[in-house]
Amino acid sequence: MSGRLPVNRRRAYEIAAERDDWQCQLCGRPASDVHHILFRSHGGSDDPRNLICLCRSCHSLAHSDERVYRDRLFEINKKKHGDFSVEDVKI
């Protein structure tokens, strides 16, 4: 593999980054990562509602306590996209 993202995933990341103005949605610093709120390994999709920009530190925190941060990050995205459920962003 070349290390490139599939076109659809890359476009979803671009949509999320533009929506979040390239800023970490937890602390406001410049974002370094686009994070899957519901992890891909747990069935999370590339739907922009499941993606959020985070800085490296906040991204590490999000992976340290998945359940706490998942709920918090979904609440942030619900303010942007309207109400949706975890089921809506599963593959």
Side-chain angles (χ1 to χ4, degrees), residues 21-32:
D21 198 29
W22 300 91
Q23 299 296 311
C24 177
Q25 298 302 291
L26 287 175
C27 73
R29 290 184 293 208
S32 58

Side-chain angles (χ1 to χ4, degrees), residues 55-66:
C55 68
R56 180 75 54 196
S57 296
C58 290
H59 197 185
S60 293
L61 287 173
H63 280 273
S64 70
D65 195 345
E66 175 196 358

Side-chain angles (χ1 to χ4, degrees), residues 25-42:
Q25 298 302 291
L26 287 175
C27 73
R29 290 184 293 208
S32 58
D33 302 310
V34 177
H35 172 69
H36 285 81
I37 301 170
L38 178 61
F39 297 168
R40 291 181 64 234
S41 62
H42 295 170

Side-chain angles (χ1 to χ4, degrees), residues 6-22:
V7 173
N8 291 344
R9 184 172 306 147
R10 183 172 51 236
R11 182 65 189 130
Y13 281 23
E14 290 169 357
I15 290 168
E18 290 169 7
R19 176 200 64 211
D20 293 344
D21 198 29
W22 300 91

Side-chain angles (χ1 to χ4, degrees), residues 72-89:
R72 184 172 173 195
L73 296 172
F74 271 134
E75 288 305 314
I76 290 169
N77 271 2
K78 285 179 181 181
K79 292 176 183 173
K80 299 172 189 175
H81 293 284
D83 198 28
F84 63 91
S85 74
V86 172
E87 295 301 316
D88 295 330
V89 298

